[in-house]
């Protein structure tokens, strides 16, 4: 059920342009890749207090992945290979 709802949520975010807007905003902060990974780690720690890890990754990866690509962060450092 979580996977199905996350898929619907991701389609909604993509079609409304939230992912592009959020990615552009975060890239324009001019943070270093280490700083961005640190912010993402803190975000995942806080989110991990409420959601299990698989659900958390399914919900957030469509938002985080384009950001990582835009910032030219090596995906091995993020944890996906």
């Amino acid at each position: 059920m979580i996977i199905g709802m996350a898929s619907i949520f991701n389609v909604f975010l993509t079609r409304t342009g939230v992912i592009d807007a959020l990615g552009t905003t975060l890239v324009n902060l001019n943070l270093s890749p280490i700083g961005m990974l640190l912010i993402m780690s803190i975000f995942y720690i806080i989110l991990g207090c409420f959601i299990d890890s698989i659900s958390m990754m399914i919900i957030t990866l469509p938002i985080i992945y384009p950001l990582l690509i835009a910032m030219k962060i090596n995906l091995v450092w993020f944890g996906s290979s």
Side-chain angles (χ1 to χ4, degrees):
M1 186 168 184
I2 292 175
I3 293 172
M5 290 299 132
S7 297
I8 293 170
F9 179 64
N10 293 332
V11 168
F12 168 75
L13 289 177
T14 303
R15 291 193 180 177
T16 57
V18 171
I19 293 175
D20 294 331
L22 182 64
T24 304
T25 303
L26 291 175
V27 168
N28 289 337
L29 289 177
N30 294 326
L31 292 174
S32 68
I34 299 289
M36 187 58 70
L37 287 174
L38 183 65
I39 288 173
M40 287 181 201
S41 297
I42 292 169
F43 173 72
Y44 277 125
I45 288 171
I46 293 169
L47 198 58
C49 293
F50 305 104
I51 305 174
D52 65 299
S53 60
I54 298 295
S55 303
M56 182 173 44
M57 295 303 278
I58 290 171
I59 292 170
T60 60
L61 273 180
I63 299 169
I64 299 296
Y65 183 75
L67 177 65
L68 294 172
I69 299 299
M71 292 196 68
K72 297 181 177 127
I73 296 175
N74 191 345
L75 297 178
V76 171
W77 290 108
F78 182 68
S80 18
S81 55

